[in-house]
Amino acid sequence: MTDAKLSAFAALIRQSVEAGTLRNVTFHSPRSGASADGGLKVRGELREIGNQLVLQLETSLTEGRVTQRNVEADGILLCVTDLTEVYRRADLTDAGGSASLMISKKGAVTLLQKGKIGEGGGEPVSVRGNNREKRRLLDGSEPFLIPLGIADRTGRIHDRMQSKFRQIARFAEYVADAEKRIGGDGELYVCDLCCGKSYLSFAAYHVLTGICGRRVKMTCVDLKDSVMAYCRGVAEEAGFDGMEFLAMNIGDFLPERNPDLVISLHACDTATDLVLDFAAEHRAGMILSTPCCQRELNRAMDCPTLDFIADVPILRQKLASTATDALRLLKLEAEGYRCDATELIDPEDTPKNVMLRAQLDRSFDPSSPDALRKRTRFEAAAAFLFGERLPEHWRIKSE
């Protein structure tokens, strides 16, 4: 049963939000033994989203990372209940007063309140909305967008290409971040594999040369000669003389040196695995890959433990997609990369929005106990999903 004082504190937050008088609320002092995933602290402020006042909570995680979520008035009690399972103290500041909730190590709850919360008074609260346009590295005026048919000569993005532009603009931010991680000041060697019309290639080249100020040699590879010829024309019109476009199978492509960055957008099914294998074999410094349709595991899954999911076709498809990406990350970790996965863009723009991101760990020792543990973990996961039907490309090559 929820403590009455905890419920009263949640009611004060809701009252403050609905009145538009909340300045901030902070949950801090994590309980002993609380999961580190819960965050160091949580700070909430008032936001207006879709003409509705909500409580926006920002959780401070380790390494400077943060996550955000919006809580409507009806969800505040449940939210506060969950947060007080992690934190022992919460402080509320309102335009008309303040309140503090404290939970002792033995579970005793104390609630202190000053002033009139939710009734105004003092300086008015300035409510910031989330409906403003985000600042991006690309604004639509970039010259390569015109020959690609994304923008007109005034810098206006064509209506039918709005989603594609948001995708390119978000990817540009990942590229800028990758450049910082790569470091150094020499020429960057970048490979875009299964590049198609090279939307991301042009964006990456523009960001690295025009914004980051780097010298860049970029090689883009795809099977279709006509598409590569088209891309050469776009590069020439945009003045991107550091780009080359090769019509060939990526399995036959030999890079001139180990790439600093390998990128790939929506390489279908096992083509993404070919890209990742290429990047790992040639010790690419950074990898940015957004997979497409993951059909292989959907067809070959041999895992009776998961039949309660796999017996339902649409759930099997989703399971196979998620499990494939997770297995890819485990394989990269076993090959000496530090990995994570994030969203490239809003799923409303495309459901194929998972970004796999990996950075080479240059101190990685394949004979170390840690490397052996990572390899064993990957091999166990692969065997669990595929059974005895494990395809050859999922096997880690011997050093």
Side-chain angles (χ1 to χ4, degrees):
M1 181 178 295
T2 303
D3 185 278
K5 293 177 182 177
L6 190 155
S7 298
F9 184 72
L12 289 174
I13 297 176
R14 176 169 183 166
Q15 186 174 319
S16 184
V17 168
E18 291 180 331
T21 55
L22 176 75
R23 295 194 186 282
N24 61 74
V25 59
T26 305
F27 295 83
H28 54 99
S29 302
R31 292 174 182 257
S32 176
S35 169
D37 293 339
L40 306 176
K41 68 176 181 179
V42 177
R43 178 181 172 85
E45 294 185 344
L46 201 59
R47 291 288 184 270
E48 183 177 0
I49 299 178
N51 298 320
Q52 179 181 4
L53 292 175
V54 301
L55 176 65
Q56 185 173 91
L57 297 174
E58 182 175 277
T59 303
S60 300
L61 303 172
T62 57
E63 301 176 354
R65 297 174 296 129
V66 297
T67 62
Q68 290 183 338
R69 60 171 170 149
N70 299 320
V71 181
E72 297 180 359
D74 290 343
I76 288 176
L77 175 58
L78 179 59
C79 177
V80 170
T81 302
D82 290 342
L83 288 172
T84 51
E85 292 292 326
V86 179
Y87 303 96
R88 294 193 301 107
R89 172 139 189 175
D91 297 300
L92 166 67
T93 303
D94 180 89
S98 63
S100 295
L101 183 77
M102 293 161 283
I103 304 172
S104 72
K105 292 182 179 180
K106 294 184 178 181
V109 181
T110 302
L111 175 61
L112 303 176
Q113 179 181 348
K114 294 181 181 179
K116 297 181 179 180
I117 293 175
E119 298 183 22
E123 293 294 323
V125 174
S126 176
V127 180
R128 185 156 58 92
N130 272 18
N131 299 326
R132 62 193 186 286
E133 191 69 25
K134 294 182 178 180
R135 295 184 62 186
R136 299 187 183 276
L137 289 176
L138 307 184
D139 61 14
S141 64
E142 291 74 22
F144 69 90
L145 296 175
I146 299 171
L148 285 174
I150 293 174
D152 63 23
R153 297 195 177 276
T154 69
R156 178 185 174 276
I157 305 299
H158 297 302
D159 291 343
R160 70 182 186 283
M161 300 301 290
Q162 290 286 341
S163 176
K164 176 61 70 176
F165 175 71
R166 287 193 293 272
Q167 186 180 91
I168 295 171
R170 182 68 181 110
F171 184 80
E173 296 171 4
Y174 282 110
V175 170
D177 176 72
E179 188 275 333
K180 293 178 183 177
R181 296 178 184 226
I182 294 168
D185 56 7
E187 181 183 78
L188 294 175
Y189 182 41
V190 182
C191 296
D192 185 353
L193 306 180
C194 302
C195 62
K197 292 184 70 174
S198 301
Y199 292 111
L200 299 190
S201 312
F202 293 117
Y205 188 88
H206 169 79
V207 168
L208 293 173
T209 59
I211 297 176
C212 299
R214 300 295 293 266
R215 290 180 293 110
V216 175
K217 169 69 178 295
M218 177 177 282
T219 302
C220 306
V221 182
D222 198 271
L223 284 172
K224 298 179 181 178
D225 186 66
S226 60
V227 175
M228 294 297 88
Y230 165 80
C231 291
R232 293 186 196 105
V234 174
E236 182 177 357
E237 184 173 341
F240 291 171
D241 55 7
M243 302 182 76
E244 66 174 350
F245 299 87
L246 305 180
M248 62 189 305
N249 191 309
I250 63 173
D252 298 327
F253 169 57
L254 293 176
E256 62 182 44
R257 63 179 175 88
N258 289 355
D260 297 295
L261 173 64
V262 170
I263 63 177
S264 180
L265 175 71
H266 295 164
C268 284
D269 200 15
T270 56
T272 289
D273 300 302
L274 293 176
V275 171
L276 298 181
D277 287 347
F278 170 94
E281 179 181 355
H282 295 284
R283 311 313 285 161
M286 285 287 301
I287 305 169
L288 298 177
S289 176
T290 300
C292 187
C293 45
Q294 296 101 322
R295 300 191 185 101
E296 182 184 49
L297 182 59
N298 195 345
R299 293 189 299 261
M301 190 183 306
D302 184 13
C303 182
T305 305
L306 296 177
D307 281 351
F308 73 101
I309 301 174
D311 286 346
V312 183
I314 189 171
L315 298 183
R316 182 186 181 93
Q317 178 183 346
K318 292 178 181 294
L319 171 64
S321 176
T322 300
T324 298
D325 285 339
L327 202 60
R328 286 165 172 160
L329 295 182
L330 286 180
K331 188 169 187 282
L332 285 170
E333 287 179 351
E335 292 171 324
Y337 284 82
R338 295 189 294 269
C339 308
D340 66 2
T342 184
E343 284 190 339
L344 171 62
I345 197 66
D346 193 301
E348 290 186 4
D349 286 323
T350 173
K352 304 166 186 175
N353 69 330
V354 174
M355 166 73 78
L356 305 182
R357 187 167 50 174
Q359 181 174 7
L360 180 64
D361 181 358
R362 300 193 183 278
S363 65
F364 180 76
D365 178 1
S367 62
S368 68
D370 183 56
L372 179 60
R373 178 187 62 80
K374 290 177 178 178
R375 179 168 183 157
T376 300
R377 186 184 183 207
F378 160 72
E379 290 175 343
F384 174 72
L385 291 169
F386 284 101
E388 297 181 356
R389 302 164 64 183
L390 182 66
E392 186 61 32
H393 71 86
W394 281 108
R395 303 180 191 276
I396 296 178
K397 296 179 181 178
S398 300
E399 295 295 330

